[in-house]
């Protein structure tokens, strides 16, 4: 299970490159995306599509290759497999079939944002993408805010304003840090209250890129 860059190709690890080179096949979420990554590093390997829609059937094909003595590397489009990306079903199926599942650590938007957020405490809840349903999204946000722990969300450019609007409405003074296009050319990291960041992004004509949102926890008094 190979972690890959979320934007800047310079974040690829030597171990990830060696794993791709030494594998007989590379399974991936999107063959076109992974082909570009491998071509950049001049690596040529046969590719196997293994995305959320076909992960079970793809896992069966991969297990068959393992039975034949082949080595298979798996990479999702960006970041670490299984973190809001396909990979968990494959890892479970392969392990249950009796084969080793080896992590090749890499970057993820989750750890990248936490490293610059400046606070977090002992507990950080990773929620990933919330439901696109307004009612379900607000309900889950209220539950997360009530825990008083820090949490991380992912969001698309199409729904980021709705998310920030809900946060501003439910608990407008909670401190948040928004990472947009992390590690990429137009990377932006901005912090403030939920109300301040909603106002900031609401004024923008165009919202592009992928977003990670760190919502700070509330420090509990020592008893």
């Amino acid at each position: 299970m190979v972690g890959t860059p979320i934007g800047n190709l310079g974040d690829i690890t030597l171990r990830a490159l060696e794993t791709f080179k030494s594998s007989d096949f590379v399974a991936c979420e999107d063959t076109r995306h992974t082909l570009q990554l491998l071509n950049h590093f001049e690596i040529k390997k046969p590719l196997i599509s293994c995305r959320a829609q076909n992960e079970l059937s793809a896992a069966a094909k991969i297990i068959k290759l393992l039975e034949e003595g082949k080595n298979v590397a798996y990479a999702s489009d960006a970041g670490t497999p299984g973190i809001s990306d396909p990979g968990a079903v494959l890892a479970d199926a392969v392990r249950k079939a009796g084969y080793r599942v080896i992590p090749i650590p890499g970057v993820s938007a989750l750890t990248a944002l936490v490293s610059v957020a400046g606070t977090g405490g002992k507990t950080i809840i990773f929620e990933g993408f919330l439901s696109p349903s307004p009612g379900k999204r607000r309900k889950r946000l209220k539950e997360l805010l009530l825990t008083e722990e820090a949490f991380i969300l992912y969001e698309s450019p199409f729904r980021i304003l709705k998310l920030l609007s809900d946060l501003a409405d439910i608990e407008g003074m909670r401190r948040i840090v928004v990472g947009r296009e992390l590690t990429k050319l137009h990377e932006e990291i901005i912090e403030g209250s939920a109300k301040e960041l909603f106002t900031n992004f609401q004024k923008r004509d165009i919202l592009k890129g992928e977003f990670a949102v760190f919502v700070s926890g509330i420090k509990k008094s020592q008893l």
Side-chain angles (χ1 to χ4, degrees):
M1 310 304 284
V2 185
T4 58
I6 59 176
N8 191 319
L9 295 183
D11 289 333
I12 193 76
T13 67
L14 294 175
R15 192 176 175 207
L17 292 176
E18 184 56 38
T19 299
F20 286 138
K21 291 175 183 177
S22 62
S23 296
D24 299 300
F25 292 84
V26 174
C28 48
E29 181 180 1
D30 187 325
T31 55
R32 296 165 299 180
H33 185 96
T34 300
L35 180 61
Q36 291 179 347
L37 176 67
L38 295 180
N39 283 344
H40 180 82
F41 293 104
E42 300 181 344
I43 300 171
K44 296 188 182 299
K45 295 291 175 178
L47 302 179
I48 302 169
S49 171
C50 182
R51 57 193 190 281
Q53 295 80 359
N54 75 339
E55 199 169 355
L56 274 174
S57 59
K61 294 178 183 178
I62 291 167
I63 290 169
K64 188 174 185 301
L65 290 170
L66 296 175
E67 290 172 348
E68 296 171 359
K70 305 297 185 183
N71 291 320
V72 182
Y74 175 76
S76 52
D77 285 352
T80 300
I83 313 258
S84 279
D85 276 314
V89 171
L90 174 63
D92 183 57
V94 168
R95 186 178 292 108
K96 284 180 177 177
Y99 296 95
R100 291 182 65 198
V101 181
I102 303 169
I104 310 298
V107 70
S108 75
L110 164 65
T111 53
L113 187 59
V114 169
S115 72
V116 296
T119 182
K122 293 182 179 180
T123 303
I124 297 175
I125 300 168
F126 175 60
E127 185 72 12
F129 288 95
L130 293 175
S131 170
S133 165
K136 290 181 179 179
R137 182 178 62 244
R138 286 181 64 89
K139 180 177 182 293
R140 184 55 181 154
L141 276 176
K142 289 178 180 179
E143 292 172 347
L144 290 166
L145 289 164
L146 281 173
T147 68
E148 298 189 349
E149 302 288 0
F151 58 93
I152 295 260
L153 305 170
Y154 287 170
E155 195 49 272
S156 74
F158 310 107
R159 292 198 300 266
I160 185 63
L161 270 184
K162 295 176 182 177
L163 172 62
L164 293 176
S165 175
D166 285 342
L167 282 168
D169 181 55
I170 298 169
E171 198 165 328
M173 296 311 295
R174 185 73 73 98
R175 176 183 176 270
I176 65 176
V177 181
V178 173
R180 184 180 71 85
E181 290 289 84
L182 291 172
T183 81
K184 300 176 185 176
L185 179 63
H186 300 292
E187 176 182 82
E188 179 181 18
I189 298 169
I190 180 171
E191 76 167 291
S193 70
K195 284 186 177 180
E196 289 171 341
L197 266 63
F198 171 62
T199 299
N200 181 303
F201 283 97
Q202 188 181 39
K203 292 178 180 178
R204 303 188 183 195
D205 294 330
I206 300 175
L207 289 175
K208 292 184 178 181
E210 298 299 321
F211 292 81
V213 180
F214 175 95
V215 181
S216 67
I218 295 176
K219 293 181 179 179
K220 299 178 178 64
S221 59
Q222 298 294 321
L223 297 180

